[in-house]
Coordinates of all heavy atoms in Angstrom, one line a residue:
K296 N 72.8 122.9 122.2 CA 71.4 123.4 122.3 C 70.8 123.3 120.9 O 71.4 123.7 119.9 CB 71.5 124.9 122.7 CG 70.1 125.5 123.0 CD 70.3 126.9 123.6 CE 69.1 127.3 124.4 NZ 69.2 128.6 125.0
Y297 N 69.6 122.7 120.9 CA 68.8 122.6 119.6 C 67.6 123.5 119.7 O 67.0 123.7 120.7 CB 68.4 121.1 119.5 CG 69.5 120.2 119.2 CD1 70.2 119.6 120.3 CD2 69.9 119.9 117.9 CE1 71.3 118.7 120.1 CE2 71.0 119.0 117.7 CZ 71.7 118.5 118.8 OH 72.8 117.6 118.5
Y298 N 67.2 124.0 118.5 CA 66.0 124.8 118.4 C 65.0 124.2 117.5 O 65.3 123.5 116.5 CB 66.4 126.2 117.8 CG 67.4 126.9 118.6 CD1 68.8 126.7 118.4 CD2 67.0 127.9 119.5 CE1 69.7 127.4 119.2 CE2 67.9 128.6 120.3 CZ 69.2 128.3 120.1 OH 70.1 129.0 120.9
Y299 N 63.7 124.2 118.0 CA 62.7 123.5 117.3 C 61.5 124.5 117.0 O 61.1 125.3 117.8 CB 62.1 122.4 118.1 CG 63.2 121.3 118.4 CD1 64.0 121.4 119.6 CD2 63.3 120.3 117.6 CE1 64.9 120.4 119.8 CE2 64.3 119.3 117.8 CZ 65.1 119.4 118.9 OH 66.0 118.4 119.2
V300 N 60.8 124.2 115.9 CA 59.5 124.8 115.5 C 58.7 123.7 114.9 O 59.2 122.7 114.4 CB 59.6 126.0 114.6 CG1 60.4 127.2 115.2 CG2 60.2 125.6 113.2
V301 N 57.4 123.9 114.9 CA 56.5 122.9 114.4 C 55.6 123.6 113.3 O 55.2 124.7 113.5 CB 55.6 122.3 115.5 CG1 54.6 121.3 114.9 CG2 56.4 121.6 116.5
T302 N 55.3 122.9 112.3 CA 54.3 123.3 111.3 C 53.3 122.2 111.1 O 53.5 121.1 111.4 CB 54.9 123.7 109.9 OG1 55.5 122.6 109.4 CG2 55.9 124.8 110.1
A303 N 52.1 122.6 110.6 CA 51.1 121.6 110.2 C 50.9 121.6 108.7 O 51.0 122.7 108.1 CB 49.8 122.0 110.9
V304 N 50.6 120.5 108.1 CA 50.4 120.4 106.7 C 49.1 119.7 106.4 O 48.8 118.7 107.0 CB 51.6 119.6 106.0 CG1 51.3 119.5 104.5 CG2 52.9 120.2 106.3
N305 N 48.3 120.3 105.5 CA 47.1 119.6 105.1 C 46.9 119.9 103.6 O 47.8 120.4 102.9 CB 45.8 120.1 105.9 CG 45.6 121.5 105.7 OD1 46.0 122.2 104.8 ND2 44.8 122.1 106.7
A306 N 45.8 119.6 103.0 CA 45.5 119.8 101.6 C 45.7 121.2 101.1 O 46.0 121.5 100.0 CB 44.1 119.3 101.2
A307 N 45.5 122.2 102.0 CA 45.6 123.6 101.7 C 47.1 124.1 101.7 O 47.4 125.2 101.3 CB 44.8 124.4 102.7
G308 N 48.0 123.3 102.3 CA 49.4 123.6 102.3 C 50.0 123.6 103.7 O 49.4 122.9 104.6
E309 N 51.1 124.3 103.9 CA 51.8 124.3 105.2 C 51.5 125.5 106.0 O 51.5 126.6 105.5 CB 53.3 124.1 105.0 CG 54.1 123.9 106.2 CD 55.6 123.6 105.9 OE1 56.0 123.6 104.8 OE2 56.3 123.2 106.9
S310 N 51.3 125.4 107.3 CA 51.1 126.5 108.2 C 52.4 127.3 108.4 O 53.5 126.8 108.1 CB 50.5 126.0 109.5 OG 51.5 125.4 110.3
I311 N 52.2 128.4 109.1 CA 53.4 129.2 109.5 C 54.0 128.4 110.7 O 53.3 127.6 111.3 CB 53.1 130.6 109.9 CG1 52.1 130.6 111.1 CG2 52.5 131.4 108.8 CD1 51.9 132.0 111.7
S312 N 55.2 128.7 111.0 CA 55.9 128.0 112.1 C 55.4 128.4 113.5 O 54.9 129.5 113.7 CB 57.4 128.3 112.1 OG 58.0 127.8 110.9
S313 N 55.4 127.4 114.4 CA 55.1 127.7 115.8 C 56.1 128.6 116.4 O 57.2 128.9 115.8 CB 55.0 126.4 116.6 OG 56.3 125.8 116.7
N314 N 55.9 129.0 117.6 CA 57.0 129.7 118.4 C 58.1 128.7 118.5 O 58.0 127.5 118.6 CB 56.5 130.1 119.8 CG 55.5 131.3 119.7 OD1 55.5 132.0 118.7 ND2 54.7 131.4 120.7
E315 N 59.3 129.3 118.6 CA 60.5 128.5 118.7 C 60.7 128.0 120.2 O 60.5 128.7 121.1 CB 61.7 129.3 118.4 CG 63.0 128.6 118.4 CD 64.2 129.5 118.1 OE1 64.7 130.3 118.9 OE2 64.6 129.5 116.9
A316 N 61.1 126.7 120.3 CA 61.5 126.2 121.6 C 62.9 125.6 121.5 O 63.3 125.3 120.4 CB 60.6 125.1 122.0
S317 N 63.6 125.6 122.6 CA 65.0 125.0 122.5 C 65.2 124.0 123.6 O 64.5 124.0 124.6 CB 66.0 126.1 122.6 OG 65.9 126.8 123.9
A318 N 66.2 123.1 123.4 CA 66.4 122.0 124.4 C 67.9 121.7 124.4 O 68.6 121.8 123.3 CB 65.6 120.8 124.1
I319 N 68.4 121.3 125.5 CA 69.8 120.8 125.7 C 69.7 119.4 126.4 O 69.1 119.3 127.4 CB 70.6 121.8 126.5 CG1 70.7 123.1 125.9 CG2 72.0 121.2 126.7 CD1 71.4 124.2 126.7
L320 N 70.3 118.4 125.8 CA 70.4 117.1 126.5 C 71.7 117.1 127.3 O 72.8 117.2 126.7 CB 70.5 116.0 125.4 CG 70.6 114.6 126.0 CD1 69.3 114.2 126.8 CD2 70.8 113.6 124.8
L321 N 71.6 117.0 128.6 CA 72.8 117.0 129.5 C 73.0 115.6 129.8 O 72.3 115.0 130.6 CB 72.5 117.9 130.7 CG 72.1 119.3 130.5 CD1 71.8 120.0 131.8 CD2 73.3 120.0 129.8
G322 N 74.1 115.0 129.3 CA 74.5 113.6 129.5 C 74.8 113.3 131.0 O 75.4 114.1 131.7
Q323 N 74.4 112.1 131.4 CA 74.7 111.6 132.8 C 75.2 110.2 132.6 O 74.5 109.2 132.9 CB 73.4 111.6 133.6 CG 72.7 113.0 133.8 CD 73.6 113.9 134.6 OE1 74.1 113.5 135.6 NE2 73.7 115.1 134.2
P324 N 76.5 110.0 132.2 CA 77.0 108.7 131.9 C 77.1 107.8 133.1 O 77.0 106.6 132.9 CB 78.4 109.0 131.4 CG 78.8 110.4 131.9 CD 77.5 111.1 132.0
D325 N 77.1 108.3 134.3 CA 77.2 107.4 135.5 C 75.9 106.7 135.8 O 75.9 105.7 136.5 CB 77.7 108.2 136.7 CG 76.8 109.4 137.0 OD1 76.3 110.0 136.1 OD2 76.7 109.8 138.2
T326 N 74.8 107.3 135.4 CA 73.5 106.7 135.6 C 72.9 106.0 134.4 O 71.9 105.3 134.6 CB 72.5 107.7 136.1 OG1 72.3 108.6 135.1 CG2 73.0 108.4 137.4
G327 N 73.4 106.2 133.3 CA 72.8 105.7 132.0 C 71.6 106.5 131.6 O 70.9 106.1 130.7
H328 N 71.3 107.6 132.3 CA 70.2 108.5 131.9 C 70.7 109.9 131.6 O 71.9 110.1 131.8 CB 69.2 108.6 133.1 CG 68.5 107.3 133.4 ND1 69.1 106.3 134.2 CD2 67.3 106.8 133.1 CE1 68.3 105.3 134.3 NE2 67.2 105.6 133.6
A329 N 69.9 110.7 131.1 CA 70.2 112.1 130.8 C 69.1 113.0 131.2 O 68.0 112.5 131.4 CB 70.5 112.2 129.3
I330 N 69.4 114.3 131.4 CA 68.4 115.3 131.7 C 68.2 116.1 130.5 O 69.2 116.7 129.9 CB 68.9 116.1 132.9 CG1 69.1 115.3 134.1 CG2 67.9 117.2 133.1 CD1 69.7 116.0 135.3
L331 N 67.0 116.2 130.0 CA 66.7 117.0 128.8 C 66.0 118.3 129.4 O 65.1 118.2 130.1 CB 65.7 116.3 127.9 CG 65.1 117.2 126.8 CD1 66.2 117.5 125.8 CD2 64.0 116.4 126.0
T332 N 66.6 119.4 129.1 CA 66.1 120.7 129.6 C 65.5 121.4 128.4 O 66.2 121.7 127.4 CB 67.2 121.6 130.2 OG1 67.8 120.9 131.2 CG2 66.6 122.9 130.7
I333 N 64.2 121.7 128.5 CA 63.5 122.4 127.4 C 63.3 123.9 127.8 O 62.7 124.1 128.9 CB 62.1 121.7 127.1 CG1 62.4 120.3 126.7 CG2 61.4 122.5 126.0 CD1 61.2 119.5 126.6
Y334 N 63.7 124.8 127.0 CA 63.5 126.2 127.3 C 62.4 126.8 126.4 O 62.4 126.7 125.2 CB 64.8 127.0 127.0 CG 65.9 126.6 127.8 CD1 66.8 125.6 127.5 CD2 66.2 127.2 129.1 CE1 67.8 125.1 128.3 CE2 67.2 126.8 129.9 CZ 68.1 125.8 129.5 OH 69.1 125.3 130.3
L335 N 61.3 127.3 127.1 CA 60.2 127.8 126.4 C 60.4 129.3 126.1 O 61.1 130.0 126.8 CB 58.9 127.6 127.2 CG 58.7 126.1 127.6 CD1 57.5 126.0 128.5 CD2 58.5 125.2 126.4
T336 N 59.7 129.8 125.1 CA 59.8 131.2 124.7 C 59.3 132.1 125.8 O 59.7 133.3 125.8 CB 59.1 131.5 123.4 OG1 57.7 131.1 123.5 CG2 59.7 130.7 122.2
N337 N 58.5 131.7 126.7 CA 58.0 132.6 127.8 C 59.0 132.6 128.9 O 58.7 133.2 130.0 CB 56.6 132.1 128.2 CG 56.6 130.7 128.9 OD1 57.7 130.1 129.0 ND2 55.5 130.3 129.2
G338 N 60.2 132.0 128.8 CA 61.2 132.0 129.8 C 61.2 130.9 130.8 O 62.1 130.7 131.5
M339 N 60.1 130.1 130.7 CA 60.1 128.9 131.6 C 60.9 127.8 131.0 O 61.3 127.7 129.9 CB 58.6 128.4 131.7 CG 57.7 129.4 132.4 SD 56.0 128.8 132.5 CE 56.2 127.3 133.5

């Protein structure tokens, strides 16, 4: 499980962090594909 936040940067500096989101890459070796599940802070 990985956790991510985003910030913006401009001439005035760096913004505060966005809300945190998390994701898990579930490997599917038999198909050569994977399922990425993203968990949003609102529970979705």
